[in-house]
Amino acid sequence: MSFIHTGDEHITFEGMPTGHILSDFWRWSSSDLLNNTLRGAYAEFLVAAPLGLELDKPREDWTPYDLDYGDKRIEVKSAAYLQAWGGDRLSSIQFSVRPTRAWYPDTGYAGEVIRQSDLYIFCLYSVQDSQVADPLCLDGWDFYVLPTKILDEQCADQKSLTLSALLLLHPTICKFDGIKRAINSL
């Protein structure tokens, strides 16, 4: 069951407001977009938005792939040079591409271990100066679109992919305003 919230809902105890609203929790738990796990969900949002996907309901977690766009199943991966925990230390860029076993609420895990999507979109927050880093400024994001069949052919059971290895696979590279065009051209 999913509930749609605006952020203005009061958090209550014994029927009375506690003095906090849901957006207080969101600000506390979800406002650092350089946080690794949150950045992944944010990257999914950044891909869903220009595709015109439904954004007024909560994202589904634990699905075999991240987004449906027409007849395309999309897996979104993210990476960044800067991390919430790293200060000015830059991270190596690496994306997970491991084949997985799909899980469905009704039937549990599928038997087959495969890459579940038709294409991957690798989202890189490329800003390297923590003094100017702002993941809300989409100029700092680069997107690499690659059909899953290329990963299957070139990477087989490989579990991760560096940026230099990704570039050797000749993905379509674009900025935020080119995501839809890049996907539609495949």
Side-chain angles (χ1 to χ4, degrees):
M1 175 189 304
S2 285
F3 295 100
I4 309 302
H5 294 100
T6 65
D8 295 327
E9 295 84 357
H10 287 273
I11 298 171
T12 63
F13 177 70
E14 295 181 349
M16 297 297 295
T18 62
H20 300 285
I21 59 175
L22 183 56
S23 63
D24 295 331
F25 165 69
W26 288 344
R27 187 174 24 264
W28 176 81
S29 71
S30 305
S31 64
D32 187 351
L33 298 177
L34 289 177
N35 176 290
N36 297 29
T37 53
L38 184 58
R39 187 186 59 244
Y42 184 55
E44 290 176 29
F45 176 85
L46 294 181
V47 172
L51 296 179
L53 300 181
E54 193 172 356
L55 299 176
D56 60 350
K57 67 176 188 168
R59 83 185 246 280
E60 290 186 41
D61 225 352
W62 296 102
T63 55
Y65 51 90
D66 297 317
L67 302 170
D68 280 301
Y69 175 61
D71 63 346
K72 293 176 176 74
R73 299 168 299 166
I74 301 172
E75 183 70 20
V76 177
K77 297 297 181 181
S78 76
Y81 290 105
L82 297 171
Q83 307 298 325
W85 45 262
D88 285 326
R89 193 176 112 226
L90 299 181
S91 292
S92 300
I93 300 304
Q94 189 165 299
F95 299 97
S96 174
V97 294
R98 76 179 43 216
T100 62
R101 188 180 313 273
W103 181 82
Y104 302 97
D106 302 344
T107 59
Y109 284 101
E112 192 175 32
V113 177
I114 60 171
R115 291 186 178 95
Q116 308 293 327
S117 64
D118 298 309
L119 61 98
Y120 275 67
I121 301 181
F122 300 95
C123 307
L124 174 61
Y125 184 60
S126 60
V127 173
Q128 298 183 30
D129 181 350
S130 64
Q131 300 303 310
V132 298
D134 180 5
L136 293 174
C137 177
L138 301 183
D139 300 342
W141 287 87
D142 299 313
F143 301 88
Y144 304 81
V145 181
L146 188 72
T148 301
K149 67 181 179 182
I150 293 175
L151 280 175
D152 289 340
E153 292 166 1
Q154 301 295 317
C155 301
D157 293 332
Q158 192 170 322
K159 295 179 176 151
S160 63
L161 196 63
T162 64
L163 179 58
S164 57
L166 172 60
L167 292 173
L168 291 173
L169 299 175
H170 306 289
T172 300
I173 303 170
C174 60
K175 292 303 237 179
F176 176 76
D177 63 347
I179 293 172
K180 186 173 187 175
R181 185 173 45 255
I183 292 171
N184 287 341
S185 71
L186 295 178

